[in-house]
Structure formats: structure tokens, C-alpha cells
Amino acid sequence: MTTPVTINAESAVKAQFPGLAGGWHYLDTAASAQKPQAVIEATVRAMGADYATVHRGVYARSAEMTLAFEAARRRVAEFLGGRENEIVFTRGATEAINLVAQTWGVQNLKAGDRILLSTLEHHSNIVPWQLLRDRTGVAIDICPLTEDGRIDLAAAERILTPAHKLVAFAHVSNVLGSVLHVEHAAGLAHAVGAKLLVDGCQAAPRIALDVAAMDCDFYVFSAHKLYGPTGIGALWARGEILDAMPPWQGGGAMIDRVMFEKTTFAPAPQRFEAGTPAIIEAIGFAAAVDWLEAVGLDTAERHERRLTARLREELARRNDVTLFGPADSAGIVSFALDGIHPHDLGTILDEEGVAIRAGHHCAQPLMDHLGVPATARASFGLYNDESDIAALLKGIERARRIFG
């Protein structure tokens, strides 16, 4: 039911995003991407003319929707370079990490075991492991950052011991835009017998992915940051790991046979998808993957890196701006303007038709490390261009005039 999208190279990408009509300068893609018309139309069809429930109906439309739903799973698997039976649909990356923590983690980790996180992690890759620590007694270690804001893999190598059973790192920092060398991290984790979980929320929309080449054990990301719907994401896990994980939630669809005395469960990935799934959202997820791959991940990465470099160059010329993160950050620019709180800057920019994110970005330990309560963050998508940078710089000048 999803139809591959063909992108006309001569058409402006921005024109395909109805949410950007009227000249709005949207620079908050790291929080959530705008949706192209192709994804909107696929979602509307799935909700309307094509709609039926999945997995249960014997009537034709239900069978057709079931095929489309499972085709969406297959499409997401192809996007990651994995297999269909290795993809679990979740409500997003946050639920995917919690799923791993409360199934694989509870089953495999105990007091005396250790988990390695990094200073730059999103709260979603911190709190689930703290909850697991409180439940099982595992210990959590923190890998520091390099001076330019990358996860310090040399330090990780020094920290890791055979007691470490899991390493959980972000592929791309949602604040600094720094990119993890996943293959290197995987090698370090596996050398001590640990598994590697990668938070791919900021990487999936802009970096071509291949879980086999990266050699990670778990990979998670959310559709809404990849031009798709909210409320759905994916957990990829190695087949043998997923097959051994116990169920997390109980209910319909995840069972084989239910008796009051005993219940047996469906194989993975269905074992982890209790209840009626996010059917419409899965169709939209697949449509977003189709759209993005039609544009090209290489195109996305080049385009966003060019805009990022341009903005960093302009901000670096000012003597009242502090820039955070490496010069080659991927699509994200975090900064502070002397004497102006990021929330105040964000309000003034909004009056200029410019949308940025201001706050701690669900990364409070990183803010503590940077020595600031919050940053202003501009983040790019395929629909952004030089006019968005110009509008942001104009708004910053207005803020400076207001605050002196």
C-alpha cells in the first residue's frame, strides 16, 4: 500500500512540506522533522480509504493492510541493513531503550555488572538504565568527552572491563552534533564481552546506516525525526538476542496460546508488540523511509553539513557567541549568546518567524559539563536553505539590540 516516492530533482524540496508554507524558518528538526506531502498522503490513505485492522481479520482489506503493515517492517529493516524479523515497532526510541532495559537487561544483568554511558547522552539513554540499576544493582559508569565534544573512545577503552555487559552511546549527539565512530565503539565493547546499544535518533535522518557494518547489537530510532509520524519508532536487535529476550508487555497479538494455567508467546518480533499496533503510523514510517531514500542519505548529509558549517562560520565571527561541539557537527549547532538567556533569544526569534530550540534538550548532565543551564540550538533538515540562516542571524542581531 506504500508507493515508492520519486523526487523531481528540479523541484524545491521545501515546497513539498506544507508545514513550511508562508516563509516560516524552521530550525528545530532535531526535536521533530516537518512532514513531506508524500508522507501525509500515505498516512491519510492508510487512515481512510485503505484502513482496516491487521493480523485478525479474514476479510480482504484486513489481509491487504496486514501485508502493508508487515511490508513497512520490512522497509524499515532494509533501511537499517537488517532483517525483517529483527525489527520491533515501538512508540519511539525512548520506548525501545526501555524495552531493552526491562527485558534483556533484567534477564542478563545483575549486581556486580556494569553499564557504560557517556556524558552527552539524552535522558532517554540515561533514565532507563538508572531504573534498571535500582532494580538489579548494576553499576553505571560515565565515559567523558574529548575537548571538542565527542565521546572519548580512548577513555572508553581504559574504562571498560569484563564486568561491563552493556555500552549505550548516541550515534549523533542531539546537542553537539558530534558523530560516534560506531564500529570502533562496537569493537571496544565486544572486546570485553559487552553488548553495544546505539541511540540513532539524530543519525537516521542524515547518515546512511548499515547495522551489519557497524557491528552493534541494538539500534533504536524514532520515525518523527525522520520526516515520518509521531508515536512510532523501531528497535533493531540481532536476531539471536531478540529471540532470547522475554516478553515485556502482555496482551493480544503477542501470544501463541492463552490458558488460565499458562500462556505461550509468539516469536520475535511479535512477542514485543502487545495490542493493536500503530498501523497508520507504520505505513507513514515506511513512506518517510521511501521519501528520504529517494532524496538520498548522502544528499541529506552533504546538505546539512554544508548549512551547519555555514552557520558555525557566521556565528564564530561574533565576539558575543560561544559555540559548542565539533566543527564538523552533523546538522546541529548549539550556541550561547552572551547576556541573553536562550529562552529569551528563542522568543525574539519566534517573533521574527524563526523556530529554534532553547533549553537543556533532555541532556542535563551535558549542560552541567558545558557549564551552562541551557543552550540555543539550530538544527537543519533537507528543507532548510541559506534563507533560514539569514533569518536566524537577523533575529540574533535584533536580540542584541534589545538586550544591549
Side-chain angles (χ1 to χ4, degrees):
M1 290 195 185
T2 56
T3 303
V5 180
T6 301
I7 301 298
N8 184 344
E10 297 179 357
S11 66
V13 171
K14 185 174 284 191
Q16 300 176 48
F17 289 81
L20 298 177
W24 191 37
H25 300 283
Y26 184 74
L27 292 168
D28 196 21
T29 298
S32 193
Q34 294 289 316
K35 317 307 173 192
Q37 188 64 36
V39 171
I40 295 169
E41 290 174 358
T43 304
V44 169
R45 284 197 306 273
M47 191 183 298
D50 293 346
Y51 184 75
T53 192
V54 298
H55 298 148
R56 297 175 178 85
V58 297
Y59 47 92
R61 191 185 291 183
S62 176
E64 290 169 1
M65 186 59 92
T66 298
L67 290 174
F69 179 78
E70 293 302 332
R73 189 192 308 277
R74 186 163 57 251
R75 191 71 185 89
V76 173
E78 292 168 353
F79 178 72
L80 291 175
R83 296 179 296 177
E84 183 178 351
N85 64 351
E86 296 172 327
I87 293 292
V88 178
F89 283 132
T90 63
R91 289 187 299 157
T94 298
E95 184 173 86
I97 294 172
N98 277 275
L99 191 161
V100 174
Q102 297 303 319
T103 57
W104 180 87
V106 169
Q107 183 184 58
N108 290 280
L109 302 185
K110 61 186 184 308
D113 293 334
R114 308 188 77 86
I115 295 170
L116 181 63
L117 310 177
S118 86
T119 302
L120 60 69
E121 300 307 317
H122 189 282
H123 295 167
S124 294
N125 201 26
I126 299 174
V127 179
W129 308 117
Q130 292 175 328
L131 295 174
L132 180 66
R133 176 193 61 193
D134 296 344
R135 180 173 177 180
T136 66
V138 301
I140 296 175
D141 296 312
I142 307 302
C143 181
L145 307 181
T146 60
E147 286 189 12
D148 63 350
R150 305 175 197 274
I151 297 174
D152 189 340
L153 293 181
E157 185 172 15
R158 293 191 296 271
I159 294 169
L160 285 168
T161 70
H164 287 89
K165 304 305 179 186
L166 180 73
V167 176
F169 286 165
H171 195 164
V172 173
S173 166
N174 74 309
V175 175
L176 305 175
S178 49
V179 182
L180 173 71
H181 193 302
V182 178
E183 296 92 328
H184 187 183
L188 297 177
H190 295 160
V192 297
K195 304 290 191 237
L196 175 65
L197 180 144
V198 180
D199 172 0
C201 279
Q202 301 299 336
R206 56 183 56 91
I207 297 175
L209 302 175
D210 184 341
V211 289
M214 290 188 290
D215 200 28
C216 54
D217 301 286
F218 305 97
Y219 199 94
V220 305
F221 69 110
S222 296
H224 73 99
K225 296 181 190 292
L226 191 138
Y227 309 99
T230 54
I232 191 167
L235 161 67
W236 172 86
R238 293 183 185 275
E240 64 274 17
I241 297 175
L242 202 59
D243 286 343
M245 285 163 51
W248 183 34
Q249 297 175 324
M254 51 77 69
I255 55 88
D256 172 36
R257 178 79 167 88
V258 175
M259 300 168 285
F260 282 113
E261 298 78 18
K262 179 183 180 181
T263 293
T264 55
F265 301 106
Q270 286 76 22
R271 181 163 67 245
F272 305 103
E273 297 178 4
T276 301
I279 303 165
I280 296 160
E281 291 81 0
I283 301 301
F285 195 172
V289 168
D290 285 341
W291 184 87
L292 181 56
E293 289 200 331
V295 175
L297 270 300
D298 290 343
T299 298
E301 184 173 10
R302 286 195 306 271
H303 177 72
E304 292 173 30
R305 283 188 183 275
R306 179 180 64 81
L307 292 176
T308 301
R310 171 71 172 151
L311 178 56
R312 289 184 68 90
E313 178 185 345
E314 290 291 339
L315 292 175
R317 290 175 177 166
R318 303 182 61 99
N319 59 13
D320 60 348
V321 167
T322 302
L323 280 165
F324 303 102
D328 63 347
S329 57
I332 295 170
V333 180
S334 281
F335 62 97
L337 195 59
D338 292 352
I340 304 177
H341 193 282
H343 290 164
D344 294 327
L345 176 60
T347 299
I348 292 169
L349 289 172
D350 183 47
E351 294 171 356
E352 296 290 315
V354 179
I356 65 162
R357 181 55 58 98
H360 55 66
H361 317 297
C362 294
Q364 288 177 311
L366 177 56
M367 296 297 113
D368 293 340
H369 169 77
L370 297 174
V372 295
T375 71
R377 183 186 71 187
S379 52
F380 296 105
L382 273 159
Y383 34 67
N384 291 118
D385 55 31
E386 295 280 350
S387 71
D388 300 308
I389 294 176
L392 172 61
L393 295 173
K394 179 183 175 184
I396 289 173
E397 283 293 340
R398 178 171 177 244
R400 177 50 66 207
R401 290 195 299 272
I402 291 172
F403 284 91

